[in-house]
Amino acid sequence: MAFTTLWFILVTVLWTGFFVLEGFDLGVGMLHGLLSRDESSRRAVLHTIGPVWDGNEVWLVTAGAAMFAAFPGWYATMFSGFYLALVLLLAGLIVRGVAIEYRGRIDSARWRRNWTVLLTAGSVTVPLVLGIALGDLLHGVPIGHDQEYTGSFADLFTGYGVFTGITLTVLCLLHGATFLSLKTSGDVREKARRLARLAVLPAGLVVLAFVFWTRSLASGGVLLNLAELAAVVAVAAAAWLIVSGHDGWAFGATTLAIAATVTSLFTELYPRVMVSSTSSAFDLTVHNTASGDYALKVMTVVVLVLLPVVLCYQGWTYHVFRERISARQFPAPGQPAAASTARPDH
């Protein structure tokens, strides 16, 4: 039983890590067209995530792999029942990745404009679809006695699930704005600050509504749990820090806000992993979907050895590419650029 709980916590950490790290990448993708009207500024914005975006996506793959290995029953029901939604998610991830890599390959305004639109669309699709899927875990979807999903694609669009998707999308947008305030300079930085100030109030309102809806759905009473309280406090702190111009602390506050929001959903879900709207007797739990104890023990040893290595490597990557990015480093095509440690143009 201890290992099933441990692996539920690990799955929660992996999903949280994905939204924290990939969240600002997604926010940058949503905002890059608004923040940067000229090509030099747009290239500067995309270079802030150029060295890290693909590494951050690995957290999503790892979260899915951990579910598959530790809770195969959960993985089977969720991934088969949400199949069409996952196809849409993959389409968003593919379009977004291709747009980042290909938009600068041809010197054509129309070519870049088309990829800019696709990058924005893909960046919105990913947190929206994932938010709907994660929200449905707690809200409940039709699941039979045999742990098979019995609903249709339309059954995935529950009110709470859609609102969870909207909440995570808005938080990613705010997270991206504070990241750009921290990572850029000049006009791009000032525009990012203005957008962060505009986005923080809607983000605060949706987070407040989300935590109370989550609490109500889980029948946990009026008082918020620690994660839910942290989400509310963090987004309130982010508002103050953004207005006062503390870029680094503001980014830390949005990091905590998005982490606490995702964590709050999983804390209310435990010990269930998927709620059945058909009957509570058919709920999937950490106990009736988990792998055997021996498999979980071996997996725990592997994680204890490899996870610190992965975290150290990713931390080193962020350290190497910690410099601010300026639009002056990316002049119009044909003009020489200033020296930079950023990756080649996307």
Side-chain angles (χ1 to χ4, degrees), residues 4-21:
T4 58
T5 300
L6 175 64
W7 273 92
F8 181 85
I9 294 172
L10 182 58
V11 169
T12 302
V13 169
L14 291 172
W15 278 109
T16 302
F18 169 76
F19 275 103
V20 165
L21 295 175

Side-chain angles (χ1 to χ4, degrees), residues 224-245:
L224 304 179
N225 66 28
L226 185 60
E228 292 159 347
L229 182 61
V232 174
V233 172
V235 78
W240 180 79
L241 291 165
I242 288 168
V243 171
S244 59

Side-chain angles (χ1 to χ4, degrees), residues 15-33:
W15 278 109
T16 302
F18 169 76
F19 275 103
V20 165
L21 295 175
E22 187 70 358
F24 66 76
D25 289 349
L26 295 167
V28 170
M30 296 179 210
L31 292 171
H32 80 287

